[in-house]
Amino acid sequence: MEINNTFPKNIPSKHVSDSAIEEIRPVFKADLNSQNRLFGGTLVTWIDVVAGCVARKHSSCNVTTAAIDSLQFKEPVFENNMVVLQGRLTCVGKTSMEARVDSYVESLNGDRKLVNTAYLVIVALDEQSRPVPVPRLICDTPEEKAEWEAGIKRRELRKKRREEDF
Ligand SMILES: CC(C)(COP(=O)(O)OP(=O)(O)OC[C@H]1O[C@@H](n2cnc3c(N)ncnc32)[C@H](O)[C@@H]1OP(=O)(O)O)[C@@H](O)C(=O)NCCC(=O)NCCS
């Protein structure tokens, strides 16, 4: 099922699964903070890169990050852990795409714990660095449809916050 999209009908559509990616990052000494845990800013960089790659795959354009929603670090990550980052699109507008990135810490025995769920807004750019329309998004599963609906609500909330300068 294809939901939305209110934008140009001649623009092609792509499935959520077409651009979903998983990336695995081993944690090295250089990634640690003074408490010997993964530096939060490094994780944010990894999340941003994964969201950008998802958005590039969907739009086939260069992209830039317009917003990152609130971040919480629920589990510490230590040297020699693996961080698994799963990224996928949840919702698209005309030129912007919302990507969800789930980050997990995986220990040697394969146990995975959720560290963070982040939503990022990524905008597709043309050769002149101007926002450019993106393909429509086909949501196939009930989970993808629910994410779409939630993404629309988050989009409205972000817009309201911008209008109120909050
Ligand atoms: C993101 C950016 C390209 C938007 O440009 P703009 O001239 O404001 O363009 P528009 O107002 O047409 O917005 C384009 C889209 O981005 C969305 N958008 C813009 N600013 C946003 C924000 N702060 N939060 C969420 N969405 C935003 C708009 O809703 C619009 O979405 P839509 O086309 O799907 O409806 C521009 O603000 C920019 O270059 N920002 C810096 C981004 C950057 O350098 N990031 C790297 C980290 S510093």
Side-chain angles (χ1 to χ4, degrees), residues 102-143:
D102 292 322
S103 314
Y104 298 89
V105 57
E106 189 173 289
S107 49
L108 273 180
N109 66 9
D111 282 348
R112 266 188 196 185
K113 287 183 188 162
L114 183 69
V115 175
N116 181 264
T117 295
Y119 291 92
L120 300 89
V121 180
I122 315 283
V123 178
L125 301 175
D126 67 12
E127 290 77 13
Q128 281 75 45
S129 269
R130 290 177 311 216
V132 63
V134 298
R136 297 143 65 87
L137 185 67
I138 303 168
C139 300
D140 294 298
T141 68
E143 291 75 22

Short mmCIF file of all heavy atoms in Angstrom, two decimals, residues 102-143:
data_model
loop_
_atom_site.label_atom_id
_atom_site.label_comp_id
_atom_site.label_asym_id
_atom_site.label_seq_id
_atom_site.Cartn_x
_atom_site.Cartn_y
_atom_site.Cartn_z
N ASP A 102 17.86 2.92 14.74
CA ASP A 102 17.95 2.22 16.03
C ASP A 102 19.38 1.77 16.22
O ASP A 102 19.98 1.17 15.32
CB ASP A 102 17.04 0.98 16.03
CG ASP A 102 15.56 1.35 15.99
OD1 ASP A 102 15.18 2.33 16.64
OD2 ASP A 102 14.80 0.65 15.30
N SER A 103 19.93 2.08 17.39
CA SER A 103 21.31 1.67 17.70
C SER A 103 21.27 0.64 18.82
O SER A 103 20.62 0.86 19.84
CB SER A 103 22.14 2.85 18.20
OG SER A 103 21.95 3.97 17.39
N TYR A 104 21.97 -0.45 18.61
CA TYR A 104 22.04 -1.52 19.61
C TYR A 104 23.50 -1.74 19.98
O TYR A 104 24.39 -1.58 19.14
CB TYR A 104 21.51 -2.84 19.06
CG TYR A 104 20.06 -2.79 18.65
CD1 TYR A 104 19.70 -2.42 17.36
CD2 TYR A 104 19.05 -3.14 19.55
CE1 TYR A 104 18.37 -2.37 16.97
CE2 TYR A 104 17.71 -3.09 19.17
CZ TYR A 104 17.38 -2.71 17.88
OH TYR A 104 16.07 -2.67 17.50
N VAL A 105 23.73 -2.14 21.25
CA VAL A 105 25.07 -2.60 21.63
C VAL A 105 25.01 -4.12 21.67
O VAL A 105 24.07 -4.70 22.21
CB VAL A 105 25.53 -1.99 22.97
CG1 VAL A 105 24.58 -2.30 24.11
CG2 VAL A 105 26.95 -2.48 23.32
N GLU A 106 26.02 -4.72 21.03
CA GLU A 106 26.05 -6.19 20.95
C GLU A 106 27.33 -6.68 21.63
O GLU A 106 28.42 -6.22 21.28
CB GLU A 106 26.00 -6.62 19.48
CG GLU A 106 25.82 -8.11 19.32
CD GLU A 106 25.61 -8.50 17.86
OE1 GLU A 106 24.55 -8.22 17.30
OE2 GLU A 106 26.53 -9.09 17.29
N SER A 107 27.17 -7.58 22.58
CA SER A 107 28.36 -8.11 23.25
C SER A 107 28.84 -9.37 22.53
O SER A 107 28.21 -9.83 21.58
CB SER A 107 28.05 -8.39 24.73
OG SER A 107 26.87 -9.12 24.81
N LEU A 108 29.96 -9.91 23.01
CA LEU A 108 30.59 -11.04 22.30
C LEU A 108 29.67 -12.24 22.16
O LEU A 108 29.73 -12.97 21.17
CB LEU A 108 31.87 -11.48 23.05
CG LEU A 108 33.15 -10.74 22.67
CD1 LEU A 108 34.31 -11.27 23.50
CD2 LEU A 108 33.44 -10.87 21.18
N ASN A 109 28.79 -12.45 23.16
CA ASN A 109 27.88 -13.61 23.07
C ASN A 109 26.65 -13.35 22.19
O ASN A 109 25.75 -14.17 22.10
CB ASN A 109 27.45 -14.07 24.47
CG ASN A 109 26.59 -13.03 25.17
OD1 ASN A 109 26.19 -12.04 24.55
ND2 ASN A 109 26.31 -13.24 26.44
N GLY A 110 26.61 -12.17 21.57
CA GLY A 110 25.53 -11.89 20.62
C GLY A 110 24.32 -11.20 21.24
O GLY A 110 23.37 -10.87 20.54
N ASP A 111 24.36 -10.96 22.58
CA ASP A 111 23.23 -10.25 23.22
C ASP A 111 23.15 -8.82 22.69
O ASP A 111 24.17 -8.12 22.63
CB ASP A 111 23.42 -10.18 24.75
CG ASP A 111 23.07 -11.51 25.39
OD1 ASP A 111 22.47 -12.36 24.70
OD2 ASP A 111 23.40 -11.68 26.58
N ARG A 112 21.95 -8.40 22.34
CA ARG A 112 21.76 -7.03 21.83
C ARG A 112 20.87 -6.24 22.78
O ARG A 112 19.83 -6.72 23.20
CB ARG A 112 21.02 -7.08 20.49
CG ARG A 112 21.93 -7.08 19.32
CD ARG A 112 21.16 -6.93 18.03
NE ARG A 112 22.05 -7.30 16.95
CZ ARG A 112 21.76 -7.20 15.67
NH1 ARG A 112 20.58 -6.75 15.29
NH2 ARG A 112 22.64 -7.55 14.74
N LYS A 113 21.30 -4.99 23.09
CA LYS A 113 20.46 -4.11 23.90
C LYS A 113 20.28 -2.81 23.15
O LYS A 113 21.25 -2.27 22.59
CB LYS A 113 21.14 -3.83 25.24
CG LYS A 113 21.13 -5.00 26.18
CD LYS A 113 21.77 -4.57 27.51
CE LYS A 113 21.97 -5.75 28.42
NZ LYS A 113 22.93 -5.45 29.49
N LEU A 114 19.06 -2.27 23.20
CA LEU A 114 18.80 -1.01 22.51
C LEU A 114 19.48 0.14 23.26
O LEU A 114 19.33 0.28 24.47
CB LEU A 114 17.28 -0.75 22.46
CG LEU A 114 16.86 0.51 21.72
CD1 LEU A 114 17.12 0.38 20.21
CD2 LEU A 114 15.39 0.83 21.97
N VAL A 115 20.27 0.92 22.53
CA VAL A 115 20.93 2.08 23.12
C VAL A 115 20.13 3.34 22.82
O VAL A 115 19.92 4.20 23.68
CB VAL A 115 22.36 2.24 22.56
CG1 VAL A 115 23.02 3.51 23.09
CG2 VAL A 115 23.20 1.02 22.90
N ASN A 116 19.64 3.46 21.60
CA ASN A 116 19.02 4.71 21.19
C ASN A 116 18.09 4.51 19.99
O ASN A 116 18.38 3.69 19.12
CB ASN A 116 20.14 5.71 20.81
CG ASN A 116 19.57 7.04 20.39
OD1 ASN A 116 19.40 7.30 19.21
ND2 ASN A 116 19.23 7.88 21.35
N THR A 117 16.99 5.25 19.98
CA THR A 117 16.17 5.35 18.77
C THR A 117 16.12 6.82 18.39
O THR A 117 15.74 7.66 19.22
CB THR A 117 14.74 4.84 19.03
OG1 THR A 117 14.81 3.44 19.31
CG2 THR A 117 13.85 5.05 17.80
N ALA A 118 16.55 7.13 17.18
CA ALA A 118 16.59 8.54 16.75
C ALA A 118 15.79 8.71 15.46
O ALA A 118 15.76 7.81 14.61
CB ALA A 118 18.03 8.96 16.50
N TYR A 119 15.13 9.85 15.35
CA TYR A 119 14.46 10.22 14.10
C TYR A 119 15.17 11.46 13.56
O TYR A 119 15.41 12.42 14.30
CB TYR A 119 12.98 10.53 14.35
CG TYR A 119 12.18 9.30 14.71
CD1 TYR A 119 11.99 8.94 16.04
CD2 TYR A 119 11.62 8.51 13.71
CE1 TYR A 119 11.26 7.81 16.37
CE2 TYR A 119 10.90 7.38 14.04
CZ TYR A 119 10.71 7.03 15.37
OH TYR A 119 9.99 5.91 15.69
N LEU A 120 15.51 11.40 12.27
CA LEU A 120 16.24 12.52 11.66
C LEU A 120 15.48 12.97 10.42
O LEU A 120 14.88 12.16 9.72
CB LEU A 120 17.65 12.10 11.22
CG LEU A 120 18.58 11.59 12.33
CD1 LEU A 120 18.43 10.09 12.54
CD2 LEU A 120 20.03 11.93 12.03
N VAL A 121 15.53 14.27 10.19
CA VAL A 121 14.94 14.81 8.95
C VAL A 121 16.08 15.15 8.00
O VAL A 121 17.00 15.90 8.35
CB VAL A 121 14.11 16.09 9.22
CG1 VAL A 121 13.52 16.61 7.91
CG2 VAL A 121 13.02 15.81 10.23
N ILE A 122 16.02 14.52 6.82
CA ILE A 122 17.08 14.68 5.82
C ILE A 122 16.44 15.29 4.57
O ILE A 122 15.36 14.84 4.15
CB ILE A 122 17.69 13.31 5.46
CG1 ILE A 122 17.98 12.47 6.71
CG2 ILE A 122 18.91 13.47 4.59
CD1 ILE A 122 19.18 12.84 7.49
N VAL A 123 17.09 16.28 4.00
CA VAL A 123 16.54 16.98 2.83
C VAL A 123 17.40 16.65 1.60
O VAL A 123 18.64 16.69 1.66
CB VAL A 123 16.50 18.50 3.08
CG1 VAL A 123 15.98 19.25 1.85
CG2 VAL A 123 15.62 18.81 4.29
N ALA A 124 16.71 16.32 0.50
CA ALA A 124 17.42 16.03 -0.77
C ALA A 124 17.76 17.35 -1.46
O ALA A 124 16.95 18.29 -1.45
CB ALA A 124 16.52 15.18 -1.67
N LEU A 125 18.95 17.39 -2.05
CA LEU A 125 19.42 18.62 -2.68
C LEU A 125 19.76 18.40 -4.15
O LEU A 125 20.28 17.34 -4.52
CB LEU A 125 20.68 19.12 -1.96
CG LEU A 125 20.54 19.41 -0.46
CD1 LEU A 125 21.91 19.77 0.13
CD2 LEU A 125 19.54 20.54 -0.20
N ASP A 126 19.50 19.42 -4.97
CA ASP A 126 19.90 19.34 -6.38
C ASP A 126 21.33 19.87 -6.54
O ASP A 126 22.01 20.16 -5.54
CB ASP A 126 18.89 20.07 -7.28
CG ASP A 126 18.87 21.58 -7.05
OD1 ASP A 126 19.79 22.10 -6.37
OD2 ASP A 126 17.95 22.24 -7.55
N GLU A 127 21.77 20.01 -7.77
CA GLU A 127 23.17 20.40 -8.02
C GLU A 127 23.47 21.80 -7.49
O GLU A 127 24.62 22.15 -7.23
CB GLU A 127 23.50 20.35 -9.52
CG GLU A 127 23.58 18.97 -10.13
CD GLU A 127 22.20 18.35 -10.38
OE1 GLU A 127 21.19 19.08 -10.30
OE2 GLU A 127 22.15 17.13 -10.63
N GLN A 128 22.43 22.61 -7.34
CA GLN A 128 22.62 23.96 -6.80
C GLN A 128 22.38 24.02 -5.29
O GLN A 128 22.19 25.10 -4.72
CB GLN A 128 21.70 24.97 -7.49
CG GLN A 128 22.16 25.43 -8.87
CD GLN A 128 21.94 24.37 -9.93
OE1 GLN A 128 20.89 23.74 -9.97
NE2 GLN A 128 22.95 24.14 -10.75
N SER A 129 22.31 22.83 -4.65
CA SER A 129 22.07 22.75 -3.20
C SER A 129 20.69 23.26 -2.80
O SER A 129 20.52 23.74 -1.68
CB SER A 129 23.15 23.51 -2.41
OG SER A 129 24.21 22.66 -2.10
N ARG A 130 19.75 23.15 -3.72
CA ARG A 130 18.37 23.54 -3.39
C ARG A 130 17.56 22.28 -3.13
O ARG A 130 17.78 21.25 -3.79
CB ARG A 130 17.73 24.30 -4.56
CG ARG A 130 18.31 25.69 -4.78
CD ARG A 130 17.67 26.30 -5.99
NE ARG A 130 17.68 25.37 -7.11
CZ ARG A 130 17.86 25.71 -8.39
NH1 ARG A 130 18.02 26.97 -8.72
NH2 ARG A 130 17.86 24.80 -9.35
N PRO A 131 16.60 22.36 -2.17
CA PRO A 131 15.75 21.18 -1.91
C PRO A 131 15.04 20.72 -3.18
O PRO A 131 14.58 21.55 -3.98
CB PRO A 131 14.75 21.71 -0.87
CG PRO A 131 15.47 22.82 -0.18
CD PRO A 131 16.30 23.47 -1.25
N VAL A 132 14.99 19.40 -3.38
CA VAL A 132 14.44 18.82 -4.60
C VAL A 132 13.47 17.69 -4.22
O VAL A 132 13.71 16.98 -3.23
CB VAL A 132 15.61 18.33 -5.51
CG1 VAL A 132 16.41 17.23 -4.84
CG2 VAL A 132 15.15 17.91 -6.86
N PRO A 133 12.35 17.52 -4.96
CA PRO A 133 11.38 16.49 -4.59
C PRO A 133 11.97 15.07 -4.57
O PRO A 133 12.84 14.74 -5.38
CB PRO A 133 10.29 16.61 -5.67
CG PRO A 133 10.37 18.02 -6.11
CD PRO A 133 11.84 18.36 -6.07
N VAL A 134 11.47 14.28 -3.62
CA VAL A 134 11.97 12.90 -3.45
C VAL A 134 10.88 11.91 -3.88
O VAL A 134 9.70 12.26 -3.94
CB VAL A 134 12.36 12.64 -1.98
CG1 VAL A 134 13.48 13.56 -1.55
CG2 VAL A 134 11.16 12.77 -1.03
N PRO A 135 11.27 10.65 -4.18
CA PRO A 135 10.27 9.63 -4.51
C PRO A 135 9.26 9.45 -3.38
O PRO A 135 9.59 9.66 -2.20
CB PRO A 135 11.11 8.37 -4.70
CG PRO A 135 12.46 8.87 -5.07
CD PRO A 135 12.65 10.14 -4.30
N ARG A 136 8.06 9.04 -3.76
CA ARG A 136 7.05 8.70 -2.78
C ARG A 136 7.48 7.43 -2.06
O ARG A 136 8.34 6.69 -2.55
CB ARG A 136 5.71 8.49 -3.50
CG ARG A 136 5.22 9.76 -4.19
CD ARG A 136 4.54 9.49 -5.51
NE ARG A 136 3.31 8.73 -5.36
CZ ARG A 136 2.11 9.27 -5.13
NH1 ARG A 136 2.00 10.58 -5.02
NH2 ARG A 136 1.04 8.53 -5.02
N LEU A 137 6.90 7.19 -0.88
CA LEU A 137 7.32 6.03 -0.06
C LEU A 137 6.17 5.02 0.02
O LEU A 137 5.05 5.37 0.40
CB LEU A 137 7.71 6.50 1.34
CG LEU A 137 8.28 5.44 2.27
CD1 LEU A 137 9.66 4.97 1.77
CD2 LEU A 137 8.42 5.98 3.69
N ILE A 138 6.49 3.77 -0.31
CA ILE A 138 5.48 2.70 -0.22
C ILE A 138 5.69 1.97 1.11
O ILE A 138 6.78 1.43 1.35
CB ILE A 138 5.62 1.71 -1.39
CG1 ILE A 138 5.50 2.46 -2.72
CG2 ILE A 138 4.55 0.62 -1.29
CD1 ILE A 138 5.90 1.64 -3.94
N CYS A 139 4.66 1.99 1.95
CA CYS A 139 4.72 1.31 3.24
C CYS A 139 3.98 -0.01 3.10
O CYS A 139 2.77 -0.01 2.85
CB CYS A 139 4.09 2.18 4.32
SG CYS A 139 4.90 3.77 4.52
N ASP A 140 4.68 -1.14 3.23
CA ASP A 140 4.08 -2.44 2.96
C ASP A 140 3.52 -3.13 4.20
O ASP A 140 2.53 -3.83 4.11
CB ASP A 140 5.14 -3.37 2.33
CG ASP A 140 5.55 -2.87 0.95
OD1 ASP A 140 4.69 -2.81 0.07
OD2 ASP A 140 6.74 -2.53 0.77
N THR A 141 4.17 -2.95 5.35
CA THR A 141 3.78 -3.73 6.53
C THR A 141 2.97 -2.85 7.49
O THR A 141 3.04 -1.61 7.43
CB THR A 141 5.03 -4.23 7.27
OG1 THR A 141 5.72 -3.09 7.83
CG2 THR A 141 5.98 -4.98 6.33
N PRO A 142 2.22 -3.48 8.41
CA PRO A 142 1.49 -2.69 9.41
C PRO A 142 2.43 -1.78 10.21
O PRO A 142 2.08 -0.65 10.54
CB PRO A 142 0.84 -3.75 10.31
CG PRO A 142 0.78 -4.98 9.48
CD PRO A 142 1.95 -4.92 8.53
N GLU A 143 3.64 -2.28 10.51
CA GLU A 143 4.61 -1.47 11.27
C GLU A 143 5.02 -0.24 10.46
O GLU A 143 5.12 0.86 10.99
CB GLU A 143 5.87 -2.29 11.61
CG GLU A 143 5.68 -3.42 12.62
CD GLU A 143 4.97 -4.64 12.03
OE1 GLU A 143 4.99 -4.82 10.78
OE2 GLU A 143 4.38 -5.40 12.81
#
